[in-house]
Amino acid sequence: MIKTIRASLCILICVSLIALCGCNKQNTATTGGADEPDIVYESTLTYSWFGIGNQNSIIKNSLNIDKMDSNSIEHLPILKFQSTEDLDYFTSNIFVSYTLDSAFNGVPSFNVATQKYNAEYFKENTLLLVSIPATSGSVRHFVKDIQIKDGNLCVSVDVNSPNAVTMDLVSWFILVSVDNKYIENVTSFDAVYLGA
């Protein structure tokens, strides 16, 4: 009986550690056509606490604001940063209602996660940010896929949800780093939520 409990506990701990270690990972996504190269991207989950109603500033500045009222699928705000000035502007003006310097349960703060995105990085890369307001800090979100088709880029976000969840209001930011060569012909950006 004790061996069974210990084995179950070890499995639970290993699964939890694997889930937490997946916060920063490099992936490859298939694009829409045979002539287009597969996209290589890196995604990082970051944490920020925000007050109720403060998501509006991000929605108003999102690249897909026209899709936010769609009833068929849940769209998530997506932002694009192409320079340190872009990132600094949003941090100073748009994210003012957010706590950007606090980590949460193994997930890095926004400020720590964005330290590496300097002028050298932006010479060849673009940083996308997908914002996910959540009623629980227990769930973890991840990029399931990125598709580019006919000049449209869509980031699909899914969720790992434990059996028991907390009821604390948090905001998750997923940072997606993409080489500029993959998105030079992209004219529209979107993000969708696959989780239930």
Side-chain angles (χ1 to χ4, degrees), residues 118-133:
N118 55 25
E120 191 64 31
Y121 165 84
F122 284 112
K123 286 181 181 177
E124 296 182 5
N125 301 283
T126 294
L127 182 64
L128 302 174
L129 179 145
V130 178
S131 177
I132 308 158

Side-chain angles (χ1 to χ4, degrees), residues 153-194:
L153 180 145
C154 184
V155 177
S156 299
V157 175
D158 211 344
V159 63
N160 286 328
S161 188
N163 291 332
V165 297
T166 57
M167 297 302 286
D168 47 345
L169 188 64
V170 299
S171 183
W172 300 112
F173 293 146
I174 295 181
L175 302 173
V176 181
S177 174
V178 181
D179 190 304
N180 289 336
K181 69 183 177 186
Y182 297 119
I183 60 171
E184 59 188 13
N185 296 319
V186 171
T187 56
S188 113
F189 293 82
D190 193 15
V192 295
Y193 187 62
L194 304 174

Side-chain angles (χ1 to χ4, degrees), residues 59 61-67 77-80 128 189-190:
I59 292 171
N61 288 280
S62 68
L63 299 172
N64 59 343
I65 190 169
D66 58 320
K67 296 182 172 99
I78 186 167
L79 304 172
K80 177 174 69 169
L128 302 174
F189 293 82
D190 193 15

Side-chain angles (χ1 to χ4, degrees), residues 40-142:
V40 176
Y41 65 93
E42 181 179 293
S43 63
T44 305
L45 179 67
T46 69
Y47 164 78
S48 175
W49 183 87
F50 70 102
I52 295 173
N54 291 331
Q55 181 75 358
N56 291 339
S57 63
I58 291 181
I59 292 171
K60 287 178 187 174
N61 288 280
S62 68
L63 299 172
N64 59 343
I65 190 169
D66 58 320
K67 296 182 172 99
M68 289 296 156
D69 290 333
S70 174
N71 292 329
S72 60
I73 191 164
E74 185 177 353
H75 294 267
L76 299 168
I78 186 167
L79 304 172
K80 177 174 69 169
F81 307 109
Q82 295 182 293
S83 67
T84 55
E85 293 81 14
D86 286 351
L87 191 56
D88 291 343
Y89 173 80
F90 275 86
T91 302
S92 301
N93 297 290
I94 307 304
F95 298 150
V96 293
S97 300
Y98 289 75
T99 302
L100 301 176
D101 58 355
S102 296
F104 180 81
N105 204 13
V107 177
S109 71
F110 179 84
N111 287 348
V112 167
T114 57
Q115 285 177 347
K116 63 183 176 182
Y117 303 116
N118 55 25
E120 191 64 31
Y121 165 84
F122 284 112
K123 286 181 181 177
E124 296 182 5
N125 301 283
T126 294
L127 182 64
L128 302 174
L129 179 145
V130 178
S131 177
I132 308 158
T135 57
S136 175
S138 302
V139 299
R140 295 295 183 268
H141 299 85
F142 62 95

